[in-house]
Amino acid sequence: MRKHHRLTWYSIVITTLLTAAPAFPGHAADAPGRLDVSGATVVVRSGERPPAEQMAATVLIEEVAKRTGLHWAESHTWPDSGPVIAITVAGAAPEWPREIPKRPGDSLPEQKPEGFRLYVEQQSDAAPTVWLIGADARGALFAAGQFLRGMTWGEGRVSFPAELDVCTSPAYPIRGHQLGYRHTANAYDAWDVATYDQYIRELVLFGANCVENIPSQDDPGPHARVPREEMNVAMAQICQRYGIDYWVWIPAGFDLNDTDQRAESLAELDDFFQTCPLLSAVFIPGGDPGDNPPGLLLPYAAEMAARLQEHHPAAKIWISLQGFDAGKVDAFFAWLDAQQPDWLGGLVHGPSSPSLAETRRRLPRQYGLRHYPDITHSLICQYPVYWWDQAFALTLGRECPNPQPAWYTHVHNWYAPWTDGFLSYSDGINDDVNKAVWSRLGWDPATEPRQTCLEYANVFFGSGVAERAADGILALEKNWEGVLADNGAVDATLMQWQALEAVSPRLGNNWRWQLCLLRAYFDAYTRHRLLYETRLESDVNELLAQAPVLGAAAAMEQAEAILKLAETQPVRADWRQRIEELCVALFDSIGYQTSVPRFQARNGERGAILDYVDRPLNNRWWLEDEFQTIREFSTEEDKLARLEVIRTWESPGPGSYYDDIGNVAQMEHVALPPGPWVEPDLVELRNPHFPWVEDGFSRARLSWLCLMRWPEKLAYRGLAPEGEYLLRATGSGGLRPIVDDVALVPSAYPRERGAFKEFPIPPELIADGEIAVTFGDIDEYHLNWRQWSYLAEVWLIRK
């Protein structure tokens, strides 16, 4: 149960501001500083053009038509009148009446691969021209993306900044996302080729220049519309059409000592390489999955490279050192220093890899270093949400809609200087905003989170709501900060999205819009359930205080009736209904699978938030099970004694203290580590751990489902110097508490979950009325993390 004491005046002010905000004006083509290009002609050079340059015009024309209803013509010749959007590449010499403008005194686009100049030229004797000049074919395509992100648009109208002159190129050469066609994904497996094409196009609009497929691991699942072999080829063809790179992720998930399986694997890969019309790189993870040492993995990679380059001579192999211990890491770099093979493109840094700094230091400069960030998960992952409220962890879970523009700007910019870019881990559309954020930062690390959100909202929702929708996305990230019960801004965020929903009925079928609405409703519903169910548990504890008068049986029966009110008299049923409607709509619009039984999600961890939307946020299930056990006790005295333990579990009495370790709402004495704006890897090390127990439906006490290895420190002040104190703890495994540098000796030391470990505190340590409790490490790092010791709860009991 939780204790809440802070006022939410800040959220009240924010709510007032949001509800009082005026509606944003619609499209104004004749607004000062804007150029009306509604009647434009798209002029391209004649002759053969590379695919990316061809697609620059195609994408621009098609995407403008989808948004505005305008149908711009593509022409090789200059029109007699009307504005022109001219698309070309530096160094070309098209037969046009206008010369391609130069930009004196500045770096020219042709000097920087994938760069472009986007320039508005206005002359008194001619219609204006918007120039999209690529350094190369890709540059022209990225210029079209910049145009679409920056244009102001509405039905039948497009305008553009009249004084714009941008010359830009990407900061990092690798900017992409993994889009594996497999059932593990929460949406990709339900897509056809056209949906993949559109999604890859939209990634390119934000600066992505590669995608990665998973061509063989995991079956496509029950939603697959296209056989896997066809989709593998189709994705290559899509990348070919847009002129971007096509990567594939191919693990060695079997024992490479098995020579028959090894030979079979290489033969199958040879067939795959031959059928792919384009293949730029193959990523072999060293682990997750796979557990082969370098001595087996590297010869296998070399043979794979020979087969790969027979069909795709420019393609390279990339390897990660995921799961490698220090000995394996040293062995790999010793081999690399000695061999330095040409077939190796570089290393990939994923979870459980050596640090990026160490990897870059040891990696010869001719090899690339790609970041492989997990941008799709919120817990039990590489970059978890900083001290996430347990109510969210239990309901939204590991793979929910997770727009985090500020956090991922921090993560990208912390690690990017060591790398040549990134190709993210993604398993669905829940992280769509994060993909846009990473893509923009890979181009320009100085891009502010709100700028990306503005461009995202403008492209996908419309200029009329872009500002408010961008702020609404940023507000969704703020919903996750701190104690949920105290965060009244969560309600303000929902009000903002409800106001947008009311004025934007045309966006009802837009899956990105639906995704934002789903999070806004889900967050607010979860907060109101939390407040309601916390109050119900408080009522139960008050009732149990009367158990000696009522009798144990009557007290438990009445307590169960109170707990059942969460189901019989639920809170905010209207929001709950809207959540379900949006989940259905998302399945229909983009194949997003928010439920295992209803939409055949792979499992509960894979985006199935609808299955957990009503999961109790108090200890109702544990209490019901405890009551059932107590009813079997032989004496009334024993029953009442156990009920008193339950009633006082979190309220141990005057002069005593309780902390639910890892639960940000109830850990007054835990010293929080710095964050989240520190080295992102440290956040994962110092964060609470939410184990996935019984498929997310564990009936254990909530405090046992929110753990830490152990916190850095618990600090207590105002203790009675003459008092006698006991440190009590629950968790699993071992524990080594230290008070003021003195290791405590246990008087009770059970290791099973939920049992009380007890450590008397020597009186001399209490003499100044203050103690600091730290914890000695226990060497269990050779074990799987699921077998480590964890701390759940700590009491300081005054006897």
Side-chain angles (χ1 to χ4, degrees):
M1 197 176 69
R2 299 169 178 235
K3 300 173 184 175
H4 312 295
H5 50 83
R6 295 202 299 271
L7 295 176
T8 57
W9 61 269
Y10 173 80
S11 65
I12 295 170
V13 173
I14 293 298
T15 301
T16 304
L17 289 173
L18 288 174
T19 54
F24 271 62
H27 173 92
D30 57 351
R34 302 201 68 82
L35 177 69
D36 186 352
V37 293
S38 304
T41 300
V42 177
V43 178
V44 300
R45 61 193 180 97
S46 59
E48 187 174 346
R49 290 171 292 149
E53 187 181 350
Q54 295 178 41
M55 290 304 295
T58 300
V59 167
L60 187 62
I61 290 169
E62 291 180 355
E63 296 304 315
V64 165
K66 291 173 187 175
R67 287 159 176 77
T68 68
L70 296 169
H71 297 281
W72 288 348
E74 179 179 330
S75 175
H76 296 297
T77 60
W78 218 267
D80 294 332
S81 62
V84 170
I85 299 173
I87 302 176
T88 188
V89 294
E95 296 179 357
W96 292 340
R98 298 277 188 92
E99 291 187 6
I100 300 175
K102 300 292 184 182
R103 194 181 195 197
D106 202 351
S107 298
L108 297 177
E110 59 261 34
Q111 297 174 333
K112 300 175 181 178
E114 299 188 357
F116 62 85
R117 185 183 183 195
L118 183 54
Y119 170 58
V120 178
E121 182 183 35
Q122 298 195 62
Q123 298 181 1
S124 58
D125 60 344
T129 301
V130 181
W131 290 93
L132 280 63
I133 309 165
D136 48 28
R138 280 187 185 177
L141 181 57
F142 293 131
Q146 173 96 16
F147 183 98
L148 290 164
R149 298 197 312 271
M151 72 180 186
T152 301
W153 60 273
E155 185 65 32
R157 291 169 293 179
V158 176
S159 70
F160 202 71
E163 304 299 325
L164 190 70
D165 188 356
V166 173
C167 190
T168 181
S169 58
Y172 297 96
I174 304 173
R175 307 178 306 280
H177 305 281
Q178 194 176 79
L179 309 176
Y181 184 61
R182 58 176 184 162
H183 188 28
T184 301
N186 60 48
Y188 305 146
D189 56 321
W191 290 1
D192 57 16
V193 174
T195 306
Y196 258 108
D197 186 295
Q198 182 64 32
Y199 195 71
I200 290 171
R201 170 184 291 195
E202 289 162 352
L203 294 177
V204 170
L205 296 185
F206 282 81
N209 68 354
C210 54
V211 298
E212 184 168 75
N213 186 22
I214 297 175
S216 55
Q217 193 211 40
D218 191 5
D219 63 90
H223 303 296
R225 304 187 192 183
V226 181
R228 161 162 266 162
E229 293 75 15
E230 289 184 26
M231 187 62 83
N232 290 339
V233 172
M235 288 183 69
Q237 292 169 334
I238 293 167
C239 292
Q240 225 176 9
R241 192 156 53 250
Y242 289 95
I244 64 173
D245 291 341
Y246 181 50
W247 291 57
V248 291
W249 179 89
I250 298 177
F254 60 94
D255 185 351
L256 288 169
N257 284 305
D258 186 333
T259 56
D260 290 342
Q261 189 170 1
R262 186 180 187 278
E264 181 182 352
S265 167
L266 289 169
E268 290 174 352
L269 287 169
D270 189 74
D271 291 340
F272 168 69
F273 297 153
Q274 185 174 9
T275 60
C276 277
L278 170 70
L279 202 49
S280 310
V282 172
F283 165 29
I284 306 174
D288 192 22
D291 189 27
N292 288 291
L296 292 175
L297 183 66
L298 295 170
Y300 176 72
E303 288 191 55
M304 187 190 301
R307 294 168 185 258
L308 171 67
Q309 293 181 341
E310 181 180 347
H311 306 290
H312 304 278
K316 301 286 187 179
I317 298 287
W318 293 64
I319 296 173
S320 76
L321 308 185
Q322 288 172 262
F324 279 25
D325 60 22
K328 289 181 180 179
V329 171
D330 289 343
F332 172 84
F333 280 111
W335 170 87
L336 184 60
D337 289 339
Q339 300 296 323
Q340 304 211 4
D342 291 336
W343 53 261
L344 183 68
L347 291 187
V348 176
H349 177 274
S352 303
S353 295
S355 73
L356 273 164
E358 177 192 352
T359 304
R360 182 68 277 175
R361 177 178 59 81
R362 299 183 70 173
L363 187 64
R365 295 304 303 181
Q366 69 264 34
Y367 296 114
L369 178 55
R370 167 194 146 186
H371 197 182
Y372 183 39
D374 179 353
I375 66 172
T376 208
H377 292 135
S378 300
L379 54 83
I380 316 176
C381 62
Q382 188 179 18
Y383 304 121
V385 179
Y386 176 76
W387 283 84
W388 210 18
D389 193 287
Q390 188 182 25
F392 284 141
L394 291 171
T395 55
L396 285 169
R398 189 170 185 240
E399 194 174 285
C400 61
N402 67 334
Q404 294 173 270
W407 169 238
Y408 280 119
T409 294
H410 173 67
V411 175
H412 175 276
N413 287 348
W414 189 283
Y415 292 120
W418 283 295
T419 75
D420 297 287
F422 69 89
L423 211 160
S424 75
Y425 169 77
S426 170
D427 250 328
I429 52 93
N430 61 299
D431 58 16
D432 190 65
V433 169
N434 302 336
K435 291 190 184 84
V437 168
W438 278 80
S439 297
R440 294 293 294 119
L441 292 168
W443 190 283
D444 179 6
T447 305
E448 293 291 335
R450 189 172 187 271
Q451 180 60 34
T452 299
C453 291
L454 276 169
E455 294 178 359
Y456 182 92
N458 186 55
V459 167
F460 297 121
F461 303 151
S463 302
V465 298
E467 293 245 8
R468 282 184 294 174
D471 288 337
I473 292 170
L474 293 166
L476 291 174
E477 182 173 20
K478 299 290 285 185
N479 280 2
W480 285 0
E481 293 184 4
V483 178
L484 174 58
D486 292 346
N487 188 357
V490 170
D491 286 15
T493 300
L494 176 59
M495 293 173 68
Q496 172 78 331
W497 280 102
Q498 287 175 322
L500 285 165
E501 188 179 16
V503 299
S504 308
R506 65 180 179 81
L507 294 171
N509 293 325
N510 181 315
W511 67 262
R512 291 180 169 93
W513 187 257
Q514 294 165 350
L515 201 63
C516 291
L517 287 173
L518 175 59
R519 257 293 307 283
Y521 277 99
F522 202 111
D523 289 0
Y525 176 66
T526 300
R527 178 171 183 267
H528 281 250
R529 274 208 314 122
L530 173 64
L531 293 169
Y532 179 47
E533 294 180 19
T534 300
R535 187 169 69 250
L536 293 179
E537 187 170 343
S538 294
D539 293 345
V540 164
N541 286 331
E542 290 180 14
L543 174 71
L544 292 181
Q546 304 171 43
V549 176
L550 296 172
M556 289 188 287
E557 183 177 353
Q558 292 180 39
E560 287 175 331
I562 293 172
L563 293 170
K564 286 292 185 184
L565 292 174
E567 294 179 351
T568 60
Q569 298 179 25
V571 69
R572 298 310 313 220
D574 55 337
W575 293 354
R576 172 64 175 82
Q577 179 60 32
R578 188 67 181 122
I579 290 168
E580 187 152 349
E581 291 170 355
L582 287 164
C583 287
V584 172
L586 279 159
F587 182 72
D588 292 340
S589 61
I590 197 64
Y592 186 39
Q593 299 142 39
T594 55
S595 170
V596 174
R598 293 191 62 178
F599 306 123
Q600 295 78 54
R602 179 59 183 262
N603 56 51
E605 284 188 283
R606 295 294 177 173
I609 62 174
L610 186 58
D611 293 344
Y612 303 94
V613 65
D614 294 317
R615 192 233 188 274
L617 298 178
N618 61 14
N619 287 300
R620 170 160 61 96
W621 286 349
W622 180 76
L623 288 167
E624 290 171 346
D625 292 347
E626 282 290 307
F627 293 160
Q628 193 62 34
T629 300
I630 292 170
R631 289 186 176 101
E632 301 299 319
F633 288 4
S634 58
T635 70
E636 181 74 1
E637 182 181 6
D638 288 344
K639 293 176 182 179
L640 291 174
R642 182 58 181 172
L643 290 176
E644 182 65 8
V645 170
I646 291 170
R647 182 186 74 82
T648 60
W649 192 281
E650 298 175 13
S651 302
S656 298
Y657 305 97
Y658 170 81
D659 288 273
D660 183 356
I661 305 300
N663 183 345
V664 70
Q666 201 169 358
M667 28 178 268
E668 180 180 350
H669 301 94
V670 175
L672 280 176
W677 313 115
V678 296
E679 182 177 355
D681 282 342
L682 296 180
V683 172
E684 192 274 332
L685 292 173
R686 300 169 177 173
N687 236 38
H689 177 64
F690 301 98
W692 190 252
V693 181
E694 297 172 43
D695 203 25
F697 292 107
S698 171
R699 297 177 67 89
R701 271 194 71 85
L702 298 188
S703 53
W704 302 343
L705 302 176
C706 179
L707 313 170
M708 288 195 72
R709 183 74 164 144
W710 24 78
E712 293 184 8
K713 182 174 70 173
L714 289 95
Y716 300 91
R717 296 175 181 170
L719 305 181
E722 74 286 356
E724 184 179 355
Y725 287 88
L726 173 79
L727 192 77
R728 176 183 293 164
T730 65
S732 60
L735 188 67
R736 294 178 179 172
I738 300 168
V739 173
D740 298 342
D741 298 324
V742 176
L744 300 185
V745 178
S747 58
Y749 200 72
R751 298 177 64 88
E752 64 270 18
R753 185 179 73 176
F756 293 150
K757 296 180 178 69
E758 294 189 343
F759 303 83
I761 299 177
E764 61 270 20
L765 300 180
I766 310 292
D768 61 356
E770 298 183 3
I771 61 170
V773 182
T774 57
F775 299 90
D777 197 17
I778 299 176
D779 184 7
E780 299 171 319
Y781 300 104
H782 58 288
L783 302 174
N784 183 279
W785 61 267
R786 296 174 180 83
Q787 299 171 283
W788 290 356
S789 299
Y790 287 98
L791 181 61
E793 301 163 290
V794 172
W795 293 258
L796 184 65
I797 305 291
R798 183 178 181 183
K799 294 185 177 180

